[in-house]
Amino acid sequence: MIDETLLGKCGFYCGSCPTYAGGNCSGCVAEHQAGDCYTLDCVQNRGLAFCGECPEFPCETLLNEPRTTVLDKEWLNWKKASHTNR
């Protein structure tokens, strides 16, 4: 069973992260404060639960800026080209 408190705003499941499993992080949502995670800030500012709910997903920031998401850039580019999120 997935612990939803460990589901990051980008959609990454912290429970599968070696940093979390090693006890070095309490999970994306609990660990981050405003201003230190682009995705968390963006989702909260837009009133969404997760990044994938956004009609602009994947946005140009996720595709082009470093360290804005842990999601695979190749997958994000495929997602953008396939229009499967619409």
Side-chain angles (χ1 to χ4, degrees), residues 2 4 10 16 19 24-25 29 37-40 43-44 57 59 65-66 71 80 82-84:
I2 291 179
E4 289 191 23
C10 66
S16 66
T19 305
N24 298 316
C25 179
V29 176
C37 176
Y38 168 79
T39 305
L40 177 67
V43 165
Q44 288 180 335
F57 178 81
C59 68
E65 296 297 322
L71 299 175
K80 182 84 167 179
S82 71
H83 303 289
T84 57

Side-chain angles (χ1 to χ4, degrees), residues 1-6 13 15:
M1 177 178 254
I2 291 179
D3 179 351
E4 289 191 23
T5 64
L6 294 179
Y13 182 59

Side-chain angles (χ1 to χ4, degrees), residues 31-48:
E31 189 79 15
H32 291 294
Q33 302 299 314
D36 69 357
C37 176
Y38 168 79
T39 305
L40 177 67
D41 292 344
C42 185
V43 165
Q44 288 180 335
N45 289 339
R46 292 173 181 258
L48 303 171

